Amino acid sequence: MKVCIVDGASGLCLGCYRTLVEIGGWSGLTDEQRAEIMADLPKRKGQIEPAKLGL
């Protein structure tokens, strides 16, 4: 089972880098909307303190 843990400071999941709104509405998004979010995820990692990611 995959479980998201959201960082309060950034509002992003520590594993997938999505927001709570994105996670909650994922099944209702179009393929295009999902692709846009997925393309943005690598940039979001920098918004989270490295220590919180175990780095």
Side-chain angles (χ1 to χ4, degrees), residues 1 5 11 17 23 27 34 36 38 40-41 48-49 53-54:
M1 180 201 286
I5 299 172
Y17 312 125
I23 294 165
S27 62
R34 288 184 194 149
E36 288 175 12
M38 294 297 289
D40 192 48
L41 296 181
I48 300 172
E49 284 183 48
L53 297 172

Side-chain angles (χ1 to χ4, degrees), residues 31-53:
D31 288 343
E32 183 178 286
Q33 290 170 315
R34 288 184 194 149
E36 288 175 12
I37 292 168
M38 294 297 289
D40 192 48
L41 296 181
K43 294 183 281 186
R44 296 180 184 188
K45 184 176 181 179
Q47 297 176 32
I48 300 172
E49 284 183 48
K52 291 181 180 178
L53 297 172

Side-chain angles (χ1 to χ4, degrees), residues 5-14 20 47-49 52:
I5 299 172
V6 177
D7 170 48
S10 67
L12 300 173
C13 171
L14 297 177
L20 281 175
Q47 297 176 32
I48 300 172
E49 284 183 48
K52 291 181 180 178

